[in-house]
Structures are given as C-alpha cells and as structure tokens.
Amino acid sequence: MLSVRGVHRSFGAGPSAVHALRDVSFDLAPGTMAALIGRSGSGKTTLLNVIGGLDRPDSGTVLVDGTDVTALDEDGLSRLRRDRVAYVFQTFGLIPVLSAAENVGAPLRLARVPAAERERRVELLLELVGLADHARQRPGELSGGQQQRVAIARALAASPRLLIADEPTGQLDAETGLSVMALLRGVVESEGVTALVSTHDPTMVALADRVIRIADGRLEGQLGEQAGGQDVT
C-alpha cells in the first residue's frame, strides 16, 4: 500500500540547512495501522506531508497504492488527496458554520456524489464514530473529542486507501485521546484502510500494528509487529 524509498528533504541551503528527512525508507502493507514516533522536530510532520503530497522531497520516491506521488503534477496530487489519501489533523479543521453531517459530507459534495448515496454514507460514518445523535450539531457545540471523531468520519467519506493522522490526539485529554486512537484502530479493521499515525503518547502506540521511530530525520528502527510494551520515549 505504501512504499517510501530513499526520501530526503532539506530546508534552506549551505551550513544552515535543516535536514528534515535523511534517506527514509519503509513499507506498509494494506490494512496496517502504524505509529510514527519521535520527539518534536524529528521529521514526523515533514514525512507525513511528503507521503500525502503536501510537500515534495528533494530526492527519493513515495508510492501510494502503486502511484508514484513524487511524479504527480498538482492536478494529480489533488486527485490523489481527493480519492486515495485522507488527512486527520490535531486541529480538527472542521467548517464552523456546517453541522457534523454537513462537514462529513463535504468531500462527497465536491466529488458530486448523488444526494441519496451521500446521505447514506454520512449516516454510516457518523454511526461508525459514535455520533449518529449529533449529526445536526455544529463544531462549536461539540467537545474536542467529538470534533475529532467528526474529522475522522470526514476523512473516511471518500473511502480512502491511506489515512494519515498527524498528532490526532494532541489537543485531547488522555482518556479522550485513547478513545480516539481506539476508534482509529477500529476504522482500520472495519474500513480496510492503511493508517499512518504520528503520536507522542506511549499508551496510544500500544494499539498500533507497527511502530516506526524517527530521530533527526532518520529512521532509528521499526520495533516489530506488536507495539505493546515497547519503550517509545
């Protein structure tokens, strides 16, 4: 599903250049939930942005579902993010004036999905994230955890193949954050997506199938198939 090979990304030039990614390579199989861990400034967000086509590497390749992301033009990247790659951010990114259902359905409207089909998909996704009873509420009327659940439902609206989540629990308390991570775990299993989730929280890493550790732009190692009990500090 995801193949990253020899990815480098630097910002600036000369002695002051910041090498955000250095020869990063790894693969993720379909239906895998992987936790990307590392200290702030280690390169996690840059790596996620390169994989999702929000940033371009200086060298190397990224294949998502067989498509070379690094070779796409802007139109190709837009189609990739619309059809096959979805993002969840820690800031939620919901449209304040729209209800939960309208936020979830927004990507389907852009894709011109027929109204009846769109409504069925929105209803199914809100049920999946446990918010069927909050469909008509706006983001300001929801808790942080509920807003993140809406954001996850919206990310799944177009049935993406790859879900990228950048610190999705960063603004949530520990208990709510754990429930959101458990939801992501369930989504991987029920929707059949592959998920790459960056996080700082060791308790959340235990829910992942794989752990990828990054430090100073380099992968330090992939800590096996089961993350539970591993030291992720």
Side-chain angles (χ1 to χ4, degrees), residues 33-37 169 177-178 180-186 189 197-212 223-233:
M33 179 174 174
L36 177 64
I37 63 173
T169 61
L178 187 56
V180 167
M181 287 297 289
L183 171 61
L184 287 172
R185 170 78 264 176
E189 296 172 356
V197 183
S198 70
T199 183
H200 283 101
D201 195 329
T203 62
M204 299 175 190
V205 175
L207 295 172
D209 299 307
R210 291 180 58 188
V211 180
I212 301 171
L223 307 180
E225 295 300 320
Q226 295 296 326
Q230 297 286 354
D231 177 12
V232 296
T233 58

Side-chain angles (χ1 to χ4, degrees), residues 157-217:
S159 299
R161 300 281 289 150
L162 177 64
L163 179 66
I164 296 173
D166 190 4
E167 297 285 354
T169 61
Q171 294 195 28
L172 306 176
D173 61 74
E175 182 178 355
T176 304
L178 187 56
S179 71
V180 167
M181 287 297 289
L183 171 61
L184 287 172
R185 170 78 264 176
V187 161
V188 168
E189 296 172 356
S190 63
E191 293 282 308
V193 301
T194 302
L196 181 58
V197 183
S198 70
T199 183
H200 283 101
D201 195 329
T203 62
M204 299 175 190
V205 175
L207 295 172
D209 299 307
R210 291 180 58 188
V211 180
I212 301 171
R213 187 196 301 269
I214 189 170
D216 296 326

Side-chain angles (χ1 to χ4, degrees), residues 1-4 26-30 51 62-65 162 194 196:
M1 169 50 60
L2 174 63
S3 180
V4 179
F26 67 95
D27 296 312
L28 282 185
I51 290 171
V62 175
L63 271 67
V64 174
D65 199 20
L162 177 64
T194 302
L196 181 58

Side-chain angles (χ1 to χ4, degrees), residues 65-149:
D65 199 20
T67 297
D68 185 352
V69 176
T70 59
L72 296 176
D73 59 15
E74 289 304 318
D75 286 341
L77 290 172
S78 294
R79 288 192 295 271
L80 178 84
R81 293 190 292 266
R82 183 189 65 197
D83 300 332
R84 283 189 278 178
V85 177
Y87 272 85
V88 176
F89 302 99
Q90 64 172 291
T91 52
F92 316 141
L94 301 176
I95 302 172
V97 297
L98 298 184
S99 68
E102 290 168 338
N103 267 282
V104 174
L108 300 176
R109 283 182 176 274
L110 291 175
R112 298 183 178 178
V113 174
E117 181 181 347
R118 183 175 68 243
E119 290 173 5
R120 285 195 298 270
R121 179 67 174 163
V122 169
E123 183 178 359
L124 174 66
L125 289 170
L126 286 176
E127 183 72 31
L128 177 66
V129 301
L131 292 177
D133 294 335
H134 299 272
R136 296 187 177 183
Q137 290 181 268
R138 294 180 179 179
E141 300 170 321
L142 300 172
S143 69
Q146 289 172 329
Q147 289 184 62
Q148 191 60 293
R149 287 172 178 267

